[in-house]
Amino acid sequence: FVGAVVACLIAAWVYLYISTPVYNISATVLIKDDKKGGSAGMLSGLESLGLDGMISSSQNIDNEIEVLRSKTIVKEVIEDLGLYIFYTDKDEFPSRNMYKTSPVQVSLTPQEADLLEETMVVEMALQPQGSLDVKVKVGDDEYQKHFEKLPAVFPTNKGTLAFFLTPDSVLSSKRVLEETADSEETVRNITATVNRPLAVAKAYCESMTIEPTSKTTSVAVISLKNSNVQRGKDFINKLLEMYNINTNN
């Protein structure tokens, strides 16, 4: 019996250790309410009841919420923040999400990424001296390249990839060299996964809810489930920025 309990506890610990936590990121926003929605005929018939303002306000808020969670504006956010490229640290167990912490950034234009029929997997090995070994896989197609230094460009028939060192990666590499006895073996193994922006936008739409706090208010709560808190915050902030730009144009 004791052995079974210990086994269950170990299994639970392993599950919690390797599972990716999902956070709920929320923000409160004041929805634009200019009372432009609704039918003029309907409103004129309700003026005597004093309901015209309530109807137009409610309809307009619903319309604005639909704009906020539309795939069009969400896709703009995904492309602007580059969220269709996902980085993981393969030197960690389990593999660790590297949002804004990868020493190497991969670039593929949203237009080229939208043409991908399958996910593009970019495996990178960053050497301490700054050289980079790259292996790109898209379905059954595979491409390999060695770069002595970055930035570098890698044209393929699936799109043209560009590789850049992040601003703090040089300092980070120096710290690693100082702290590691055998610096020649200090290789950073990073994988970048490139998805179609529209597919990522759909996934974010499914993970997001926007609900008014009540029927008589223009305030709504945006909630997003995401595995990275900072990424969720950046997404919501950029979504509101894009919404304001679209509504003011």
Side-chain angles (χ1 to χ4, degrees), residues 192-203:
T193 305
V194 185
N195 299 284
R196 293 191 302 118
L198 182 58
V200 178
K202 289 179 179 178

Side-chain angles (χ1 to χ4, degrees), residues 30-78:
L30 180 64
I31 300 294
K32 182 180 179 182
D33 182 15
D34 51 13
K35 297 184 180 180
K36 291 181 179 179
S39 168
M42 185 199 309
L43 295 181
S44 62
L46 294 173
E47 283 181 353
S48 60
L49 298 177
L51 297 176
D52 58 320
M54 182 182 299
I55 295 294
S56 63
S57 177
S58 176
Q59 289 178 342
N60 189 65
I61 291 171
D62 290 341
N63 291 339
E64 294 300 317
I65 288 177
E66 288 304 315
V67 171
L68 260 174
R69 61 186 173 198
S70 68
K71 291 185 181 67
T72 301
I73 191 171
V74 171
K75 184 171 181 285
E76 291 180 8
V77 174
I78 297 300

Side-chain angles (χ1 to χ4, degrees), residues 138-190:
V138 185
D140 296 329
D141 297 324
E142 186 173 306
Y143 314 87
Q144 296 188 42
K145 190 77 172 179
H146 172 79
F147 300 105
E148 284 298 327
K149 62 180 181 179
L150 300 180
V153 176
F154 188 10
T156 73
N157 59 4
K158 300 296 182 180
T160 300
L161 293 160
F163 301 89
F164 307 89
L165 284 173
T166 53
D168 61 343
S169 61
V170 176
L171 295 176
S172 178
S173 297
K174 288 181 179 179
R175 286 196 297 269
V176 171
L177 291 175
E178 292 173 356
E179 296 171 1
T180 306
D182 190 1
S183 61
E184 294 301 320
E185 296 182 3
T186 307
V187 179
R188 299 294 306 275
N189 294 289
I190 304 143

Side-chain angles (χ1 to χ4, degrees), residues 209-230:
T209 59
I210 305 176
E211 300 290 343
T213 55
S214 72
K215 294 181 179 180
T216 59
T217 183
S218 298
V219 177
V221 176
I222 302 176
S223 297
L224 176 72
K225 295 185 183 299
N226 201 276
S227 59
N228 186 281
V229 175
Q230 188 58 53

Side-chain angles (χ1 to χ4, degrees), residues 71-72 74-76 78-80 84-85 108-120 138 158-159 194-202:
K71 291 185 181 67
T72 301
V74 171
K75 184 171 181 285
E76 291 180 8
I78 297 300
E79 293 178 350
D80 188 85
Y84 58 95
I85 302 178
L108 182 72
T109 66
Q111 294 77 16
E112 290 178 307
D114 262 328
L115 297 176
L116 292 174
E117 296 180 355
E118 297 184 62
T119 299
M120 176 183 285
V138 185
K158 300 296 182 180
V194 185
N195 299 284
R196 293 191 302 118
L198 182 58
V200 178
K202 289 179 179 178

